[in-house]
């Protein structure tokens, strides 16, 4: 059961992942150290898996974690491809696709808020897409070096990227379908609150 706790191990891991976004961009673009940037991505991917696992094992699920974890995931999904595109490691077209998906998903927020809903439940297909993309970019980054192994990693990274993009776009369709269902089934939040207020006259 989600609680109002803030100081939990999963939340700490999510905050460390948040710091890792800036560290990754600094290492990749300023220091020009793709190897260390890759290490940050690998640690971030592990902590992304660990915070959910620990939340269940330790009974430390929280409302903050339910909001923070997907928010950090989305930030990574923007910062990592943009940083790698700026560095010339990936072309811009998959980056623009991801950004367009994020903008389209963000557009559901005001619609849901009008019905008194802050967010829809996370879809497993969205988690699978995030997993694929979190595998794709480190593999592509590792494949930026020369050699046979790097070539294999680069090809694997692109396979994960195309798979992740497909799942990511499909999850957008499902989120929008859920949003439309919510808009049709639920009245506006103000009207619902007015109906719930006792008539004192």
């Amino acid at each position: 059961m989600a609680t109002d706790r803030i100081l939990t191990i999963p939340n700490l891991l999510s905050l460390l992942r948040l710091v890792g976004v800036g560290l990754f961009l600094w290492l990749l673009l300023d220091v020009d150290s793709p190897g260390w940037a890759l290490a940050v991505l690998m640690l971030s991917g592990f902590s992304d898996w660990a915070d959910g696992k620990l939340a269940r094992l330790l009974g430390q699920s929280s409302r903050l974690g339910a909001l923070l974890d997907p928010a950090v995931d989305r930030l990574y999904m923007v910062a990592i491809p943009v940083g790698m595109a700026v560095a010339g490691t990936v072309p811009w077209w998959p980056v623009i696709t991801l950004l367009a998906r994020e903008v389209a998903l963000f557009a559901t927020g005001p619609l849901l808020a009008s019905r008194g809903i802050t967010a829809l439940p996370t879809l497993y297909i969205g988690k699978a897409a995030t997993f694929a993309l979190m595998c794709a970019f480190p593999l592509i980054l590792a494949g930026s070096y020369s050699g046979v192994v790097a070539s294999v990693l680069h090809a694997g990274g692109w396979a994960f990227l195309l798979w992740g993009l497909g799942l990511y776009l499909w999850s957008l369709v499902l989120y929008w379908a859920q949003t439309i269902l919510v808009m049709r089934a639920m009245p506006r939040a103000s009207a619902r609150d007015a109906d719930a207020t006792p008539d004192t006259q």
Side-chain angles (χ1 to χ4, degrees), residues 128-144:
T130 300
F131 170 79
L133 293 171
M134 291 299 287
C135 289
F137 291 110
L139 287 173
I140 293 174
L141 189 58
S144 62

Side-chain angles (χ1 to χ4, degrees), residues 10 49-61 124 127:
W49 168 83
D51 64 5
K53 191 74 172 179
L54 290 173
R56 291 187 293 270
L57 288 176
L58 302 177
Q60 293 187 348
S61 298
Y124 282 107
K127 287 183 174 291

Side-chain angles (χ1 to χ4, degrees), residues 5-201:
R5 294 179 62 184
I6 295 177
L7 297 177
T8 66
I9 294 176
N11 287 349
L12 177 60
L13 289 175
S14 293
L15 288 174
L16 289 176
R17 287 174 56 227
L18 183 60
V19 174
V21 175
L23 181 60
F24 166 79
L25 293 175
W26 177 68
L27 290 169
L28 183 65
L29 301 176
D30 192 27
V31 181
D32 192 21
S33 180
W36 283 108
L38 176 61
V40 171
L41 288 188
M42 294 177 67
L43 288 174
S44 298
F46 173 76
S47 65
D48 186 28
W49 168 83
D51 64 5
K53 191 74 172 179
L54 290 173
R56 291 187 293 270
L57 288 176
L58 302 177
Q60 293 187 348
S61 298
S62 65
R63 293 182 178 87
L64 175 62
L67 295 174
L68 184 61
D69 183 55
V72 175
D73 284 342
R74 286 202 181 97
L75 182 58
Y76 265 96
M77 286 301 98
V78 172
I80 292 173
V82 168
M84 290 179 64
V86 171
T89 310
V90 295
W92 277 101
W93 70 262
V95 178
I96 293 172
T97 302
L98 287 172
L99 294 178
R101 187 265 188 190
E102 293 301 317
V103 171
L105 183 62
F106 182 78
T108 64
L111 299 177
L112 295 172
S114 71
R115 265 53 179 180
I117 298 176
T118 56
L120 292 170
T122 302
L123 298 174
Y124 282 107
I125 191 172
K127 287 183 174 291
T130 300
F131 170 79
L133 293 171
M134 291 299 287
C135 289
F137 291 110
L139 287 173
I140 293 174
L141 189 58
S144 62
Y145 296 94
S146 59
V148 176
V149 174
S151 298
V152 172
L153 293 176
H154 190 266
W158 269 98
F160 271 107
L161 179 58
L162 295 175
W163 177 42
L165 280 175
L167 292 178
Y168 227 45
L169 293 175
W170 180 240
S171 68
L172 174 65
V173 172
L174 296 179
Y175 278 122
W176 264 101
Q178 288 183 346
T179 300
I180 293 172
L181 290 175
V182 168
M183 296 291 292
R184 290 178 175 177
M186 298 178 65
R188 289 187 174 274
S190 57
R192 190 169 64 255
D193 293 341
D195 293 339
T197 303
D199 188 358
T200 56
Q201 294 182 350

